Amino acid sequence: MDYMETKGRIFDIQRFSIHDGKGIRTIVFLKGCVLRCRWCCNPESQELKIQTMMVQGKPKIIGEDVTVGKVMETVEKDRPYYRRSSGGLTLSGGESLCQPDFARDLLRAAKERGINTAMESMGCAPYEVIESILPYLDQYLMDIKHMDPQKHKEYTGRSNELMLENAKKIADSGMTDLVIRVPVIPGFNDRVDEIEAIATYAGSLPGVAKIHLLPYHRLGRDKYDGLGREYPMGDVLPPSMEHMRRLEEAVVRASSLDCQIGG
């Protein structure tokens, strides 16, 4: 079968983004995730199945089955902006690796058209799956949320061993642009020693030069209401910029990584 006919399930395409990769990006959000992070701002991404979510008092269908070719029609529209800004296509979710064939073929389609590619991912999949995607990937934006397996499991539903192991394998593969991203979540990983531990590990990975600290926000809270779910983070407030600066200083002390707040 022609890879442009590979089908997948998405829940959004966001154009003209300046986050999640270099330059101006088109972000394709894939449905499905293996984790259940308490702070998830896209709870409609977690289930692979098509859902109905109340948005501003009206029901909205979340999830659409599309081909690689169909998605690329949208991606291609902004080629002039990619060229001027060194931007391109970013896959997000959910966890893109839950739909590995679709993710691979989307990235391949972009690469073969000279469009820069990036993927935001936790690396929570067998390494063989990741290995099949790497040839088509210019930048891997990889989450490392915590170094402690028990605390990781308590807050996300899964332990972190596979993800940490995959981060090392990806780095060892010669991936030239692996960026470590840390969602900074109050009560979970916002202590100086916790961030230092992540920075020390990230700094030990060959070729990794950058780490992004992403402060927790509450922008997805209304979505939980729309799905008839309770918001797991309750009334927890985002970290202050002063605290984020302290964590940035901790990264600098623990590693030689280039650290930025926000992605």
Side-chain angles (χ1 to χ4, degrees):
M1 183 180 77
D2 178 3
Y3 77 92
M4 295 293 284
E5 295 300 316
T6 303
K7 284 187 176 176
R9 185 165 287 174
I10 66 173
F11 66 96
D12 197 13
I13 298 180
Q14 183 180 320
R15 295 167 65 192
F16 306 115
S17 174
I18 55 168
H19 302 289
D20 303 312
K22 300 169 186 171
I24 294 170
R25 318 290 303 180
T26 296
I27 306 179
V28 180
F29 292 88
L30 279 63
K31 239 180 168 306
C33 189
V34 289
L35 301 188
R36 292 296 180 267
C37 302
R38 291 186 191 177
W39 60 90
C40 179
C41 61
N42 288 331
E44 75 276 34
S45 74
Q46 294 176 354
E47 300 283 348
L48 183 60
K49 68 183 180 185
I50 293 174
Q51 296 167 285
T52 302
M53 181 170 75
M54 296 300 289
V55 179
Q56 296 178 332
K58 296 179 180 177
K60 181 181 179 183
I61 301 298
I62 306 293
E64 179 187 2
D65 293 329
V66 292
T67 63
V68 168
K70 183 69 176 170
V71 173
M72 288 306 297
E73 287 174 18
T74 301
V75 173
E76 287 269 14
K77 288 177 184 175
D78 298 319
R79 184 186 283 274
Y81 299 103
Y82 309 147
R83 194 162 50 239
R84 288 180 213 144
S85 68
S86 302
L89 166 70
T90 299
L91 301 189
S92 188
E95 167 56 76
S96 304
L97 300 175
C98 288
Q99 299 187 57
D101 294 344
F102 184 56
R104 180 199 63 221
D105 290 350
L106 270 175
L107 295 169
R108 177 183 171 186
K111 279 290 282 182
E112 291 186 355
R113 285 156 181 74
I115 296 171
N116 178 274
T117 60
M119 182 173 70
E120 184 188 16
S121 162
M122 282 110 27
C124 191
Y127 183 68
E128 298 71 43
V129 168
I130 298 171
E131 198 172 28
S132 72
I133 285 171
L134 290 180
Y136 308 110
L137 194 57
D138 293 313
Q139 185 178 52
Y140 201 132
L141 303 165
M142 185 173 187
D143 272 21
I144 293 183
K145 306 176 197 297
H146 210 290
M147 293 305 295
D148 181 89
Q150 280 307 114
K151 200 163 186 185
H152 195 281
K153 186 172 184 178
E154 182 187 345
Y155 276 76
T156 73
R158 284 235 184 164
S159 187
N160 62 356
E161 288 100 339
L162 176 63
M163 297 165 233
L164 295 178
E165 190 181 301
N166 282 338
K168 179 150 189 356
K169 288 179 179 176
I170 293 162
D172 287 341
S173 77
M175 177 78 206
T176 56
D177 199 352
L178 173 60
V179 178
I180 301 304
R181 311 217 305 177
V182 186
V184 176
I185 312 300
F188 169 58
N189 65 355
D190 66 330
R191 295 199 319 256
V192 164
D193 63 312
E194 291 169 317
I195 294 297
E196 280 180 343
I198 294 172
T200 300
Y201 182 75
S204 75
L205 300 173
V208 172
K210 294 180 182 177
I211 186 166
H212 297 169
L213 301 180
L214 311 178
Y216 164 71
H217 60 75
R218 296 154 60 85
L219 298 178
R221 184 170 184 168
D222 289 347
K223 295 179 179 180
Y224 287 83
D225 292 337
L227 290 167
R229 291 173 54 186
E230 189 176 337
Y231 185 53
M233 292 297 288
D235 295 322
V236 172
L237 295 174
S240 68
M241 184 49 73
E242 183 186 5
H243 186 60
M244 292 301 299
R245 293 286 180 213
R246 279 199 292 273
L247 298 181
E248 182 183 30
E249 289 165 7
V251 170
V252 172
R253 283 196 304 273
S255 72
S256 58
L257 296 171
D258 173 18
C259 179
Q260 76 177 52
I261 296 172

